[in-house]
Amino acid sequence: MSEQPIDRYRRRLLGGAVAAGTLTLAPGLFLHRLAEAKPDADPVTSIIRWGLLVDTNRCASNCTACVDACRDEHGWTGHDRPRSDAQWIRKVELRDPATGREVSLPMMCQHCAKPPCVDVCPTGASFKRADGIVLVDKHICIGCRYCMLACPYKARSFIHEELSHQKPYSPRGKGTVEGCTLCVHRIDVGQEPACVEACTADGRGALLFGDLNDPKSAIYQALAEHPSTQVRADLNLDLGVRYRGL
Amino acid sequence: MRHLLPALLLLLAALPATAAAPADGSRVPLPAIDAGPGEQCVEPVEFMRRNHMELILHQRDETVHRSIRTKRYSLRNCINCHAVDAGGQPVSLDDPEHFCVSCHRYAAVKPDCFQCHSGEPEPGVPGVVGAGAWSRGLAANASRGVKP
């Protein structure tokens, strides 16, 4: 009798397992480590509240390093359909008609403490993690898109197409809503979000990531020292993303 | 009728060869698999065959909602170990020999996990030589002018 497919994949598996011992990890996996990474087995707590400070004075209108880095990290390829393409972060240019002053800034999920997207979600897929990060649990998401309508920042998008070749650490699929995750998969292992890393690497340093609850953190001190703005502060959503120079 | 009966008998005789009879008193016929020495799964194989889905589904909620990122029952970890062939090359989901896919086909189940999750090991994982199809796919997109 001919060899069964099951036997063949088995052999590949075992052969592969043997080969595993002889190769080493690629270097440079963890470039930017935060002070301390959470132990893998510990759940998140509300002791920490992650936040982001955008210094618009340092943000250049022609620069899309943060957007590109996010695309690379999460693999949200466009289909040349700007109105419906996935968009986790975008650059916004503002111009004050009275003074002519121009400001450029990245806009993404503001990680509200009181997120409207969570209020309207019928399944509980839209939720806020204990550390303040607002996420979509795509396993529960039914694709109704109420959250997209509820979001004042237009921060979420919907996947219309079947996808393949997703990034292993950023699963994405048709029929679900998505948005900035503040790179939970990186934060949880002690790295900064990809956009922050890229902005720093570019020498601009317009993005500062850290713990809004920790008086010793750079972001806490920067917020204490200089005035900053929450976009649409009138909505009282208590945002995790703050802007300086708006 | 005279032709049919021998044909039927032949078919019956051939059956145990294609679907191996339950060896250990289990109710379902299992694919014939011999356990290699040394390398191990995260739990005993017999347990994994029946319960792997419970482990991953539990881990899923723990990771997404509570940020528990232990490796042992992580889906990425399963893939990093299981979707690599003898040459250290990633095995694609389109490959009928992909560990998870091949057995799910055999068992006629179709979990939706791989609509979102990559079925290929991460580059940089010990044992994986080449870049997986997902990065090749992105490269192909780039050459077509689609921004990655």
Side-chain angles (χ1 to χ4, degrees):
Chain A
M1 209 192 90
S2 71
E3 184 178 48
Q4 293 204 6
I6 290 259
D7 288 318
R8 272 188 288 135
Y9 80 70
R10 221 63 232 310
R11 202 153 300 134
R12 286 171 78 150
L13 162 67
L14 292 173
V18 171
T22 62
L23 287 152
T24 47
L25 255 173
L29 267 179
F30 302 106
L31 291 171
H32 292 258
R33 283 204 153 267
L34 296 176
E36 51 211 294
K38 178 183 74 62
D40 287 344
D42 287 4
V44 271
T45 70
S46 52
I47 298 170
I48 290 177
R49 182 176 178 208
W50 294 119
L52 197 61
L53 174 60
V54 182
D55 187 347
T56 60
N57 300 316
R58 292 167 179 241
C59 184
S61 65
N62 55 357
C63 177
T64 56
C66 53
V67 180
D68 298 341
C70 181
R71 269 215 203 99
D72 269 5
E73 181 74 15
H74 297 282
W76 39 282
T77 318
H79 299 267
D80 284 330
R81 291 191 281 270
R83 285 166 61 86
S84 60
D85 274 349
Q87 191 185 59
W88 293 30
I89 178 172
R90 65 185 186 276
K91 283 298 292 288
V92 173
E93 315 292 332
L94 303 176
R95 186 168 180 277
D96 186 335
T99 62
R101 179 171 178 258
E102 289 186 355
V103 177
S104 178
L105 54 88
M107 177 53 64
M108 73 300 262
C109 173
Q110 304 284 298
H111 298 282
C112 313
K114 291 177 266 177
C117 57
V118 174
D119 291 341
V120 300
C121 178
T123 66
S126 210
F127 74 105
K128 190 180 66 164
R129 237 169 58 151
D131 56 2
I133 302 179
V134 178
L135 295 169
V136 180
D137 182 341
K138 296 185 188 174
H139 304 106
I140 313 177
C141 177
I142 55 170
C144 75
R145 290 164 266 177
Y146 284 178
C147 59
M148 288 174 63
L149 292 175
C151 177
Y153 307 98
K154 229 174 146 182
R156 285 193 172 169
S157 47
F158 181 75
I159 305 179
H160 295 265
E161 297 83 7
E162 253 166 52
L163 303 178
S164 55
H165 310 314
Q166 293 92 325
K167 303 276 185 172
Y169 40 80
S170 188
R172 305 175 57 238
K174 183 177 171 178
T176 54
V177 172
E178 58 183 1
C180 160
T181 66
L182 264 186
C183 286
V184 272
H185 64 293
R186 295 169 60 101
I187 295 176
D188 286 350
V189 297
Q191 290 173 284
E192 293 186 318
C195 54
V196 178
E197 192 179 275
C199 189
T200 310
D202 244 31
R204 298 194 187 275
L207 297 177
L208 182 59
F209 170 78
D211 181 1
L212 297 173
N213 286 346
D214 177 6
K216 291 199 298 296
S217 74
I219 189 169
Y220 186 100
Q221 291 171 4
L223 286 168
E225 221 167 287
H226 304 282
S228 60
T229 318
Q230 303 191 21
V231 175
R232 290 298 307 270
D234 56 311
L235 296 172
N236 256 330
L237 301 173
D238 184 359
L239 308 185
V241 180
R242 316 285 172 85
Y243 292 84
R244 186 195 284 177
L246 262 195
Chain B
M1 192 66 205
R2 206 173 282 160
H3 300 292
L4 210 62
L5 197 62
L8 239 159
L9 281 174
L10 237 164
L11 192 74
L12 277 175
L15 259 181
T18 46
D24 43 17
S26 55
R27 281 173 294 122
V28 278
L30 294 169
I33 284 168
D34 62 319
E39 290 302 325
Q40 277 180 0
C41 198
V42 291
E43 292 293 337
V45 172
E46 179 60 18
F47 178 85
M48 286 309 280
R49 268 179 207 148
R50 289 163 182 273
N51 303 303
H52 60 278
M53 54 305 269
E54 311 289 341
L55 299 178
I56 333 175
L57 290 172
H58 180 71
Q59 176 82 10
R60 175 184 78 178
D61 298 339
E62 290 288 280
T63 305
V64 177
H65 292 268
R66 298 178 71 226
S67 140
I68 298 207
R69 291 196 185 261
T70 45
K71 270 206 162 153
R72 186 162 190 171
Y73 303 139
S74 150
L75 180 54
R76 262 162 77 194
N77 197 35
C78 318
I79 297 302
N80 284 343
C81 226
H82 278 296
V84 184
D85 72 9
Q89 293 298 320
V91 182
S92 138
L93 283 173
D94 304 329
D95 189 331
E97 293 185 15
H98 185 284
F99 178 74
C100 314
V101 174
S102 63
C103 190
H104 288 159
R105 266 194 200 162
Y106 174 89
V109 285
K110 200 165 186 286
D112 68 353
C113 319
F114 298 120
Q115 285 173 22
C116 290
H117 286 269
S118 165
E120 288 174 43
E122 299 160 88
V125 160
V128 183
V129 178
W134 61 269
S135 45
R136 286 200 302 272
L138 288 178
N141 279 343
S143 67
R144 274 187 284 120
V146 183
K147 272 217 140 193

